[in-house]
């Protein structure tokens, strides 16, 4: 019997990579992909996939009836990728983050219970654990306290709590994954790496926040998706798993690597006002996922960054279509006063 899974947010960056990976590697799995197509969701992210095993439904995870209508009766799992995902936008306005990321997660948990879905996989983030001291041996582990510092991170931490409550109160079988910064094809160009690639390609200034020494722990998107699948298949109910590649980088080093790969001058870098509440360092200890799930990231940073840059160079119309739309207003609001 083919297995049916319900993926939310599958037209976004990571969700669409997950859909591709599952269709490629799990021939007996059928996917219902439920996505509201917000500014970050893009049907083009799903071009070329196997339509016979994939059904797309446009809908909001906060819409109870629409979720119940779309969720198959015999779904084996819900994978909840749908979210407002950009920290800077949450600093401007938190409302939509609280609505989608918390209420939406509760609606999905209720639907899982009502329809008897076997397992609920919540795609969370290392940002729920706050920030780490610079240049220390400290890492985020599953025992780290939840100490979110941005409205986005707070909404994702709250989502983890509603997931926990659904398990403790109603016995929903849940697994949580917490990953670090993803990079790869089809990431919306509001995020560091695609924004820097697009600006460098167009010889525009590269806005680096603060002193550029904030550290992020980068993982190639397909490695993250493999970890989510492993958590679904082998994770223990009620557990959280940290997913990471042991690949800490200062932002300034990421930006200069991009400029070097594109043969562009470092003079394009422009230091701008720091992000409010800017977390200094993320670093993930993925030992638990390695030991219990057999999680092994496959992509090196050098190959992953090259593949990502090549994808953006080969898909300039994908980027420019976004950059020429509503994104222009966002960019002006975010960067206009510092970049002129
Ligand atoms: P994204 O912003 O690229 O995509 C989000 C997707 O969710 C879009 O397709 C959007 O249309 C959809 N969506 C938003 N609100 C919705 C709603 N109310 N109902 C239905 N669909 C809705 O995000 P991403 O970077 O692909 O992140 C996916 C998930 O992974 C998020 O939950 C995020 O918190 C988590 N995560 C992201 C990273 C990262 O580095 N990007 C790291 C760890 C965890
Ligand atoms: O750690 C996981 C998280 O990674 C995910 O949960 C989030 O959904 C995802 O957006 C990402 O959050 P960050 O805030 O770390 O990613 P972002 O790409 O926005 O920024 C990465 C770093 O680069 C951060 O230190 C801020 C800095 N930055 C970002 C932008 C957009 C700049 O210096 N300049 C910029 O223009």
């Amino acid at each position: 019997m083919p297995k049916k899974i319900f993926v939310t947010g599958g037209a976004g960056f990571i969700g669409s990579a997950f859909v591709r990976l599952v269709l490629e590697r799990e021939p007996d799995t059928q996917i219902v992909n439920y996505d509201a197509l917000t500014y970050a969701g893009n049907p083009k992210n799903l071009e070329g996939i196997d339509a016979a095993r994939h059904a797309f439904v446009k809908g909001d995870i906060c819409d109870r009836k629409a979720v119940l209508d779309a969720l198959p009766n015999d779904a084996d799992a819900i994978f909840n990728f749908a979210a407002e995902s950009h920290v800077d936008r949450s600093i401007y306005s938190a409302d939509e983050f609280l609505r989608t990321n918390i209420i939406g997660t509760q609606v999905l948990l209720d639907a899982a219970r009502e329809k008897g879905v076997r397992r609920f996989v919540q795609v969370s983030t290392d940002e729920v654990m706050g920030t780490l001291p610079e240049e220390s041996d400290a890492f985020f582990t599953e025992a780290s306290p939840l100490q979110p510092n941005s409205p986005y991170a707070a909404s994702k931490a709250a989502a983890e709590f509603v997931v926990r409550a659904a398990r403790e109160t109603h016995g929903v079988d849940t697994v949580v994954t917490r990953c670090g910064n993803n990079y790869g094809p089809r990431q919306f160009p509001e995020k560091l790496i695609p924004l820097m690639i697009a600006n460098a390609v167009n010889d525009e200034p590269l806005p680096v926040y603060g002193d550029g020494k904030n550290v992020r722990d980068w993982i190639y998107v397909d490695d993250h998706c493999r970890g989510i699948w492993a958590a679904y298949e082998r994770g223990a109910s009620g557990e959280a798993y940290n997913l990471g590649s042991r690949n800490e980088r200062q932002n300034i080093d990421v930006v200069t690597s991009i400029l070097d790969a594109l043969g562009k001058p470092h003079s394009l870098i422009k230091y701008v006002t720091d992000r409010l509440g800017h977390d200094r360092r993320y670093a993930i200890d993925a030992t638990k996922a390695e030991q219990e799930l057999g999680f092994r990231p496959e992509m090196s940073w050098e190959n992953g960054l090259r593949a990502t840059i090549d994808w953006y160079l080969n898909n300039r119309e994908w980027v420019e279509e976004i950059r020429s739309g509503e994104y222009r207003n966002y960019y002006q609001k975010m960067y206009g006063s510092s970049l002129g």
Side-chain angles (χ1 to χ4, degrees):
M1 265 263 286
K3 198 184 271 184
K4 288 186 192 157
I5 62 169
F6 190 73
V7 174
T8 71
F13 163 50
I14 305 173
S16 65
F18 181 78
V19 164
R20 282 171 191 281
L21 199 81
V22 171
L23 290 175
E24 193 183 297
R25 293 167 44 125
E26 305 295 332
D28 293 330
T29 300
Q30 294 180 343
I31 300 177
V32 175
N33 181 351
Y34 184 88
D35 192 303
L37 296 181
T38 67
Y39 79 93
N42 189 344
K44 291 208 162 77
N45 291 348
L46 298 166
E47 276 175 1
I49 64 169
D50 178 358
R53 291 192 291 123
H54 174 263
F56 182 80
V57 179
K58 182 173 183 226
D60 184 340
I61 59 168
C62 300
D63 182 339
R64 224 166 257 279
K65 180 170 180 320
V67 167
L68 281 170
D69 286 348
L71 180 62
N73 287 324
D74 47 355
D76 195 62
I78 294 178
F79 293 83
N80 184 25
F81 291 87
E84 288 296 328
S85 70
H86 192 39
V87 173
D88 291 325
R89 289 185 193 256
S90 80
I91 294 168
Y92 267 101
S93 172
D95 294 8
E96 201 53 29
F97 288 74
L98 304 191
R99 193 187 80 89
T100 287
N101 299 2
I102 308 172
I103 308 285
T105 301
Q106 182 64 54
V107 168
L108 293 171
L109 287 159
D110 292 343
R113 194 153 56 92
E114 193 168 327
K115 291 238 174 156
V117 175
R118 189 181 65 80
R119 172 155 272 194
F120 188 95
V121 182
Q122 173 67 6
V123 181
S124 192
T125 166
D126 61 355
E127 296 200 17
V128 297
M129 295 173 278
T131 188
L132 292 166
E134 196 171 359
E135 289 167 16
S136 71
D137 290 336
F139 291 90
F140 291 134
T141 73
E142 289 76 4
S144 301
L146 299 199
Q147 292 176 325
N149 293 324
S150 71
Y152 161 71
S155 71
K156 292 294 288 187
E160 286 203 27
F161 286 134
V162 301
V163 169
R164 177 190 160 87
R167 182 169 186 280
E168 296 300 317
T169 305
H170 297 294
V172 180
D173 180 327
T174 62
V175 176
V176 172
T177 59
R178 294 185 191 135
C179 193
N181 286 61
N182 284 223
Y183 69 104
R186 304 180 187 84
Q187 185 168 31
F188 195 83
E190 64 193 351
K191 306 280 166 55
L192 179 76
I193 288 182
L195 187 146
M196 297 298 162
I197 296 171
N199 284 19
V201 164
N202 289 292
D203 297 309
E204 291 167 12
L206 274 53
V208 172
Y209 298 161
D211 63 3
K213 292 188 176 157
N214 298 65
V215 172
R216 295 294 182 265
D217 194 348
W218 295 95
I219 183 169
Y220 194 69
V221 63
D222 289 356
D223 281 330
H224 179 196
C225 293
R226 273 189 276 277
I228 293 167
W229 189 261
Y232 155 62
E233 282 198 319
R234 294 189 284 284
S237 184
E239 291 295 307
Y241 293 92
N242 287 0
L243 302 173
S245 263
R246 302 180 199 281
N247 182 36
E248 287 181 61
R249 311 258 157 197
Q250 288 190 339
N251 292 337
I252 191 65
D253 294 335
V254 172
V255 171
T256 50
S257 297
I258 291 169
L259 286 170
D260 293 345
L262 289 167
K264 298 286 183 173
H266 292 195
S267 56
L268 283 174
I269 293 171
K270 173 106 197 272
Y271 287 94
V272 299
T273 311
D274 208 354
R275 171 186 279 176
L276 294 175
H278 196 175
D279 285 340
R280 192 62 175 168
R281 173 174 168 255
Y282 303 148
I284 291 172
D285 179 350
T287 306
K288 181 178 171 186
E290 288 161 2
Q291 289 179 349
E292 293 186 21
L293 309 178
F295 172 64
R296 291 275 175 282
E298 293 172 10
M299 185 65 101
S300 70
W301 167 247
E302 290 70 24
N303 290 344
L305 188 61
R306 188 68 253 173
T308 303
I309 291 172
D310 286 346
W311 188 87
Y312 282 94
L313 290 177
N314 293 329
N315 292 275
R316 286 190 68 173
E317 70 297 343
W318 184 97
V319 189
E320 291 311 322
E321 199 176 308
I322 292 169
R323 278 166 47 98
S324 62
E326 177 56 30
Y327 179 84
R328 282 225 290 246
N329 299 334
Y330 164 78
Y331 195 84
Q332 186 55 31
K333 188 172 76 173
M334 262 308 295
Y335 301 98
S337 58
S338 32
L339 294 180

